[in-house]
Amino acid sequence: MLDKMILGRYVPINSFVHSLDPRAKLLFVFVMTILVFFMDNWYGYLFGFLLVLIITKLSNLRFMFVFNGIKPIFFLIIFTFLMHVFLTKGGRTLFDWGIINIQMGGVLMGIMISFRFIIIIFLSTVMTLTTSPIALTDAIEYILKPFKKIKLPVHELALMMSIALRFIPTLMDETQKVMKAQISRGSDISSGSAVQRIKAIGPLLIPLFVSAFKRADDLAIAMEVRGYRGDIGRTKYRKLAWQRKDTLTLLSLIPISMIIIFLRSIT
């Protein structure tokens, strides 16, 4: 499953979303992330999923391609759902046994919070699939530029975020290779009790951490050899160009916000 993970990958194809300025995409996803938390009924979530389908279509990405790519992080959504099921109270009791008490309010809240996370993950994944790491770094640096006045290392923060995002698929590929190497040597990872599976993770983590530190060291040496000194005297080969469609994309957030607020009033 790890080899199917697409978070952090870039798919260079032609589409409307690909052609947008990375700053517009970053701001759009940021505002949409806030608006998602204003959704509090099924109408709002249906509208959110409709937006996801439209944005995925505009990016020329297949919906199932994106969906299958985010499956590896679904365990976080399941964990969030279970936390609400067991800890949130309200409504009629569905199951009561000892200290375990599951009520309808907890189940509904768990489902709604899970839907919110799914929408946010979809939007974030589409953004990374349609934006190169370099362009995303430039967008983050440009948006955070005002914070330079308070001595915030904006360039370094943007670079770290870009490198971290870029290394996600690399580390996933490396994990897959290590798992196959361990299996070829007779290691049993996918079967056994939960304790045995946890113990089997040890032989995976050690070579994975060694490889990650080696890659980080090689990257640091490469940057030092090329005379990297942060943003001091740094010029850009590719400059960001804001277009009319970027403005229209951000203006579309106004009717989207109005629809979400209207759907909140529907009971």
Side-chain angles (χ1 to χ4, degrees):
M1 183 177 288
L2 291 176
D3 58 339
K4 297 180 181 179
M5 190 169 185
I6 59 176
L7 184 64
R9 299 183 188 272
Y10 171 58
V11 180
I13 58 178
N14 293 323
S15 74
F16 173 78
V17 179
H18 279 78
S19 64
L20 290 174
D21 190 287
R23 293 169 293 182
K25 287 186 276 189
L26 196 62
L27 290 172
F28 184 90
V29 172
F30 175 75
V31 176
M32 278 302 304
T33 301
I34 297 175
L35 292 176
V36 164
F37 286 94
F38 282 89
M39 301 176 182
D40 62 352
N41 56 34
W42 301 114
Y43 299 104
Y45 294 120
L46 287 174
F47 178 69
F49 281 113
L50 178 61
L51 285 176
V52 167
L53 291 175
I54 294 174
I55 294 172
T56 305
K57 182 66 176 178
L58 291 174
S59 62
N60 284 346
L61 298 171
R62 290 183 293 107
F63 177 82
M64 291 308 300
F65 169 73
V66 181
F67 180 79
N68 291 329
I70 64 176
K71 276 184 179 179
I73 56 178
F74 265 29
F75 73 94
L76 292 174
I77 298 174
I78 295 174
F79 174 77
T80 303
F81 171 75
L82 293 176
M83 288 291 290
H84 281 281
V85 168
F86 290 110
L87 299 180
T88 304
K89 305 301 179 183
R92 63 187 180 89
T93 301
L94 300 177
F95 182 81
D96 189 9
W97 183 69
I99 61 173
I100 301 176
N101 183 267
I102 300 176
Q103 298 181 2
M104 180 61 74
V107 175
L108 293 176
M109 182 60 67
I111 294 174
M112 291 183 177
I113 295 297
S114 299
F115 280 166
R116 289 177 182 176
F117 279 122
I118 292 174
I119 294 173
I120 292 172
I121 292 172
F122 251 98
L123 293 174
S124 303
T125 303
V126 171
M127 181 185 68
T128 58
L129 288 173
T130 59
T131 312
S132 67
I134 296 176
L136 196 58
T137 301
D138 291 341
I140 295 173
E141 183 178 357
Y142 185 89
I143 293 174
L144 297 180
K145 187 181 293 184
F147 291 97
K148 284 185 176 181
K149 295 181 180 180
I150 58 174
K151 306 299 182 180
L152 185 71
V154 172
H155 177 78
E156 287 74 11
L157 286 175
L159 182 66
M160 286 190 296
M161 292 174 67
S162 176
I163 291 175
L165 192 65
R166 176 62 186 85
F167 263 68
I168 291 177
T170 302
L171 292 178
M172 292 301 101
D173 293 340
E174 193 71 26
T175 303
Q176 197 70 19
K177 292 179 181 178
V178 174
M179 288 178 64
K180 291 180 179 179
Q182 295 290 349
I183 293 174
S184 66
R185 289 172 173 81
S187 177
D188 192 3
I189 301 173
S190 59
S191 62
S193 63
V195 177
Q196 291 174 335
R197 292 187 182 185
I198 293 175
K199 289 181 179 179
I201 294 177
L204 295 177
L205 292 179
I206 294 174
L208 185 62
F209 271 105
V210 171
S211 174
F213 283 123
K214 185 177 184 304
R215 288 180 182 275
D217 188 53
D218 291 342
L219 179 61
I221 293 174
M223 293 172 68
E224 185 177 356
V225 168
R226 288 167 174 79
Y228 176 76
R229 298 179 299 164
D231 61 343
I232 300 176
R234 187 177 179 85
T235 59
K236 297 184 183 297
Y237 176 70
R238 296 181 179 84
K239 294 186 178 181
L240 301 178
W242 191 271
Q243 304 177 59
R244 181 182 299 177
K245 56 186 175 182
D246 301 309
T247 303
L248 295 175
T249 298
L250 292 184
L251 289 177
S252 68
L253 289 169
I254 298 175
I256 291 175
S257 304
M258 295 174 64
I259 293 173
I260 291 176
I261 293 174
F262 170 74
L263 292 176
R264 280 175 58 91
S265 62
I266 300 177
T267 57

